[in-house]
Amino acid sequence: MTTKYISASIPTLKRLPRYLQVLKALNQEENMYISATKIADELKVDSIQVRKDLQSTGIIGKPKLGFELKELIQSIESFLNWDNLTDAFLIGVGSLGQALLGYENFKKSGLNIIAGFDIDEKLVGKTIRGINIYNINKVEDLIKRMKINVAVIALPANNVNMIVEKIVEAGITAIWNFAPVHINTNEDVIIENVNLTQSLAVLTHKINERKNKDGGTK
Amino acid sequence: MTTKYISASIPTLKRLPRYLQVLKALNQEENMYISATKIADELKVDSIQVRKDLQSTGIIGKPKLGFELKELIQSIESFLNWDNLTDAFLIGVGSLGQALLGYENFKKSGLNIIAGFDIDEKLVGKTIRGINIYNINKVEDLIKRMKINVAVIALPANNVNMIVEKIVEAGITAIWNFAPVHINTNEDVIIENVNLTQSLAVLTHKINERKNKDGGTK
């Protein structure tokens, strides 16, 4: 049904999880079909785009019926590689790090956090949501011994690049970065940044824009 | 120095906080100047783009010197409206919501969370990081009485749209949405989505792409 591997554009990759949200909200009955148009209507986006994105996962729809629902969900998940769990270390187990440990959706999305690391003596030795927290000074050794390639960074801004240098040296080749800093490392390392202040910049500016339009009445 | 208000493109709005990160990491001495080229080098981006973005905040640089550092920081923050705090309610105070309460950067970025709301009786009545948590059934009344326009939504997927309908009815006109669902509401409401699984989709796909390139050796 699905092809083993196809490359995809970043915009397509970002849209696919949204389609999954819509699909998973539906009753997954046997032999239920859904059209790209239906998904597009739900999300208020262009249906040609949806059809193209879905087809890029390798699935082939039936004329007039659309896509078989369960098969479509599986096709997207397989395409995103979410049916293969990748082990990862969490670096920084403060409030943000602990929230990430509690976010069950990650496992459904292919990421399996298997240990946490922090400098805070109050956290080291604890088990949070089933995950053991180790002293940060053990991280390089454990990356090597357990052959871990993926790190989730939830540190405050200080010292991030110093720690990144160490973990990349030890074997990390992909970083999901929540720290509010720009990571300087070699080009082979995959970096995906989640910068919440960037998102907030868009929100606060839009609010301000509207205030000005309305002459400050809102 | 800075103009009162100028509209900006979303990409510019998203780049400005990254420049701020770089600028704030520098020693803010009196009469220190920084060039767009220096910022561009630090972030490995195009310097013409940086200069254009900075000028869009209304600041004017000096030939050969660049921009006065403190003035530049203030110009960007003022442009992003981060020098005016906007009061907001947090809806959902589970692990993600609590992490958001602990994220000090929001206040620096213009968002002031003044109360939290949850359905969980164990949370209601508590004070978390200085913020009082109220029963969700009080939210509509308090939105009206306190004239709150901005909500941060950190609920799990269930019931999000039912709650959104209520709070929009009560007066919310802008939503920062962390819930993994598509929000259906009227077009006047500003919605900024933070969908962590979308970001994760990009990361896991890139990791998979590399695995395939390397023939599975990494």
Side-chain angles (χ1 to χ4, degrees):
Chain A
M1 299 297 162
T2 57
T3 54
K4 186 62 203 108
Y5 180 77
I6 322 149
S7 194
S9 74
I10 301 283
T12 298
L13 290 172
K14 291 203 170 181
R15 285 188 296 261
L16 288 170
R18 297 190 66 200
Y19 305 154
L20 266 183
Q21 279 172 8
V22 172
L23 297 172
K24 287 187 169 175
L26 297 169
N27 279 322
Q28 292 172 40
E29 289 161 26
E30 284 303 323
N31 287 315
M32 195 189 142
Y33 281 78
I34 183 158
S35 66
T37 313
K38 177 101 191 286
I39 298 172
D41 285 352
E42 188 74 24
L43 291 169
K44 300 195 172 78
V45 294
D46 177 40
S47 68
I48 296 168
Q49 184 71 73
V50 175
R51 190 167 296 111
K52 234 175 111 184
D53 287 339
L54 296 179
Q55 282 167 347
S56 77
T57 69
I59 197 169
I60 296 157
K62 280 195 181 154
K64 291 187 183 165
L65 280 170
F67 303 94
E68 205 276 315
L69 181 58
K70 282 192 179 175
E71 192 192 328
L72 181 55
I73 290 174
Q74 201 234 307
S75 179
I76 297 173
E77 288 185 335
S78 167
F79 181 70
L80 291 170
N81 202 31
W82 286 1
D83 42 7
N84 282 318
L85 278 180
T86 301
D87 289 340
F89 278 174
L90 172 67
I91 321 273
V93 198
S95 59
L96 182 60
Q98 289 183 31
L100 296 178
L101 286 181
Y103 207 63
E104 286 160 26
N105 278 332
F106 294 160
K107 222 170 195 168
K108 290 182 205 149
S109 309
L111 194 78
N112 189 26
I113 295 176
I114 57 167
F117 296 85
D118 208 287
I119 199 171
D120 184 350
E121 284 298 337
K122 286 195 287 291
L123 292 166
V124 172
K126 275 200 174 172
T127 303
I128 298 175
R129 292 173 190 268
I131 307 295
N132 293 334
I133 315 301
Y134 300 94
N135 193 306
I136 187 76
N137 66 23
K138 294 216 167 68
V139 72
E140 294 166 81
D141 184 40
L142 284 169
I143 288 169
K144 285 178 199 162
R145 277 166 49 194
M146 300 178 73
K147 297 197 190 343
I148 300 296
N149 299 131
V150 182
V152 181
I153 296 197
L155 294 162
N158 316 335
N159 305 329
V160 168
N161 274 302
M162 202 190 67
I163 288 174
V164 165
E165 201 177 305
K166 284 184 187 174
I167 61 176
V168 167
E169 180 72 31
I172 291 296
T173 56
I175 292 172
W176 201 20
N177 177 39
F178 287 80
V181 287
H182 175 70
I183 289 186
N184 283 313
T185 183
N186 72 62
E187 284 171 17
D188 295 339
V189 178
I190 296 167
I191 309 234
E192 173 68 14
N193 291 298
V194 180
N195 191 325
L196 296 181
T197 50
Q198 288 185 340
S199 171
L200 195 49
V202 176
L203 182 77
T204 52
H205 192 86
K206 280 186 192 165
I207 292 170
N208 195 32
E209 194 169 39
R210 185 173 54 194
K211 271 185 197 160
N212 279 274
K213 251 189 222 155
D214 298 350
T217 55
K218 262 190 184 169
Chain B
M1 299 298 164
T2 59
T3 54
K4 186 66 202 104
Y5 181 77
I6 322 148
S7 194
S9 73
I10 301 284
T12 297
L13 289 171
K14 291 205 170 180
R15 285 188 296 260
L16 288 170
R18 298 190 64 200
Y19 305 154
L20 267 184
Q21 280 172 8
V22 172
L23 297 173
K24 287 187 170 175
L26 296 170
N27 279 321
Q28 291 171 41
E29 288 161 27
E30 284 303 322
N31 288 314
M32 194 188 144
Y33 281 77
I34 184 159
S35 65
T37 313
K38 177 101 192 284
I39 299 171
D41 284 351
E42 188 73 24
L43 292 169
K44 298 196 174 82
V45 295
D46 177 39
S47 67
I48 296 166
Q49 183 71 72
V50 175
R51 188 167 298 111
K52 235 174 112 184
D53 287 339
L54 296 179
Q55 283 167 347
S56 77
T57 69
I59 197 169
I60 296 158
K62 282 197 180 152
K64 291 191 182 162
L65 279 169
F67 304 94
E68 205 275 316
L69 182 57
K70 282 192 177 173
E71 192 192 328
L72 181 56
I73 289 174
Q74 202 235 306
S75 179
I76 297 173
E77 288 185 336
S78 168
F79 180 71
L80 290 170
N81 202 31
W82 285 1
D83 42 6
N84 282 317
L85 278 180
T86 301
D87 289 341
F89 279 175
L90 173 67
I91 322 273
V93 198
S95 60
L96 183 60
Q98 290 184 31
L100 296 178
L101 285 181
Y103 206 63
E104 287 159 27
N105 279 332
F106 295 160
K107 222 169 194 171
K108 290 183 205 149
S109 310
L111 195 78
N112 189 27
I113 296 176
I114 58 167
F117 296 85
D118 208 286
I119 198 170
D120 185 349
E121 285 296 338
K122 286 194 288 290
L123 291 166
V124 173
K126 274 201 177 173
T127 303
I128 298 176
R129 292 173 190 268
I131 307 296
N132 293 335
I133 314 302
Y134 300 93
N135 193 306
I136 187 78
N137 65 23
K138 296 217 166 69
V139 72
E140 294 166 82
D141 184 41
L142 283 169
I143 287 168
K144 284 177 200 162
R145 277 167 50 194
M146 301 178 72
K147 297 195 188 348
I148 300 296
N149 300 130
V150 182
V152 182
I153 297 198
L155 295 161
N158 315 336
N159 305 329
V160 168
N161 274 301
M162 203 189 67
I163 288 173
V164 165
E165 200 178 305
K166 284 183 186 175
I167 62 176
V168 167
E169 181 72 33
I172 291 295
T173 56
I175 292 172
W176 200 19
N177 176 39
F178 286 81
V181 286
H182 176 69
I183 288 186
N184 284 313
T185 184
N186 72 63
E187 284 171 17
D188 295 339
V189 179
I190 296 167
I191 309 234
E192 172 68 15
N193 291 298
V194 180
N195 190 324
L196 296 181
T197 50
Q198 288 185 339
S199 171
L200 196 49
V202 176
L203 182 77
T204 53
H205 193 85
K206 280 186 191 166
I207 292 171
N208 195 31
E209 194 170 40
R210 185 172 54 194
K211 271 186 199 159
N212 279 273
K213 252 189 220 156
D214 297 350
T217 56
K218 262 193 184 166

